[in-house]
Amino acid sequence: KKCDIWSLGCVLYELASLKPPFQGTGMKDLFNRISKGEFERIPKTYSNELFDIIRRCLKLNPNERPSCD
């Protein structure tokens, strides 16, 4: 279930910014960025609350992500 929350965060991010949250110049670079949880803020036209939800969904530690319940 926690991987579904992470996936939801990716989808929400992409809907808001029209690009995936994690991008790299190659597979190794992409892996490193995902492993570090590095991604840019969504455009300022969206609220801080939406960005906070996305950030919580994309937490590296699955236990820190929101639950499905």
Side-chain angles (χ1 to χ4, degrees), residues 13 17 39-49 51:
Y13 184 97
S17 65
F39 54 91
E40 296 176 6
R41 192 199 187 287
I42 57 175
K44 296 276 186 187
T45 54
Y46 295 99
S47 68
N48 289 331
E49 290 81 9
F51 183 57

Side-chain angles (χ1 to χ4, degrees):
K1 291 182 179 179
K2 293 293 184 166
C3 67
D4 291 339
I5 297 298
W6 191 83
S7 298
L8 175 63
C10 289
V11 169
L12 290 173
Y13 184 97
E14 195 158 350
L15 286 170
S17 65
L18 303 178
K19 62 182 181 180
F22 304 103
Q23 298 181 40
T25 56
M27 290 302 287
K28 186 175 182 179
D29 186 38
L30 179 61
F31 174 80
N32 288 334
R33 289 175 190 258
I34 292 171
S35 297
K36 292 177 184 175
E38 295 177 354
F39 54 91
E40 296 176 6
R41 192 199 187 287
I42 57 175
K44 296 276 186 187
T45 54
Y46 295 99
S47 68
N48 289 331
E49 290 81 9
L50 177 60
F51 183 57
D52 184 53
I53 290 169
I54 293 169
R55 227 180 26 224
R56 289 176 43 213
C57 290
L58 295 178
K59 289 280 188 180
L60 293 177
N61 183 345
N63 294 324
E64 295 177 3
R65 297 177 199 149
S67 72
C68 292
D69 298 330

